[in-house]
Amino acid sequence: MSASEATTTVHRPDGEMPAHVWLPPGGTGPGLLLLQEIFGVSAYIRDRAQDLADLGYVVLAPELYWRTGTTVDESRPDFLEQGMALQAQLDWDETVADAVAALDTLRARPEVDGGVGVVGFCFGGGVAFNVAAVADVDALVSYYGSSLPQLLPLADRVSAPSLHHFGTADAYIPMEKVEEIRAAVDGPEVEFHLYDGAGHAFDNPNPMFVHEAARADAWRITTEFLARRLPV
């Protein structure tokens, strides 16, 4: 756990959902809800949370697998299968409701000074999009949201400034689907970026997934977008 990371909970009708909070160096700032890949609040997600906190944001990452009573062991060779199995146990609407509750908890924290946005990767990218459709957020960043093809009927309800990242070699979201997503979300408040040769989860530093050039370029674009849309 980093020096600025702490644990908290989000109250839900059926229990307390664990969550992690990172504070920026100055102690206060705008809020960012950070939503996990299928691997949970992993070391990678924690690193990205710290990166965002270092930029000046108060970051909250909820444990969306909390009802399953287990987590992904990334030291095992079957970690991808573990993540897919855990994701399959989730009820989508319940998970979105959990994320909205986490957003409300973040917004209510005394350290949050300014607006509140949502950032999601992979599985979390789809949840983030759904959250932005049903809750008031000031900015949305979605990395290769894996559920977006099924969520496009919600596109007209997402009014927050939005940033979407996709690789052109995504094995889970083929380019024809990516183009359908681009057309559905298109608008003056939407930025949409493609990365040549990058596969799914290209921001994850695991050698199985990472595309270093795309990772660096997308993160630069993300930080510039947040600086404009959710300034610290």
Side-chain angles (χ1 to χ4, degrees), residues 174-194:
M175 276 305 298
E176 57 265 29
K177 286 294 183 185
V178 172
E179 292 300 341
E180 286 179 23
I181 295 167
R182 190 210 294 260
V185 304
D186 186 45
E189 296 293 296
V190 179
E191 297 182 34
F192 202 97
H193 293 269
L194 300 179

Side-chain angles (χ1 to χ4, degrees), residues 33-56:
L33 178 67
L34 179 59
L35 299 175
Q36 66 187 53
E37 297 180 305
I38 64 170
F39 307 118
V41 185
S42 60
Y44 153 60
I45 292 296
R46 284 180 159 89
D47 285 345
R48 277 308 190 207
Q50 186 64 58
D51 292 338
L52 293 167
D54 289 343
L55 292 174

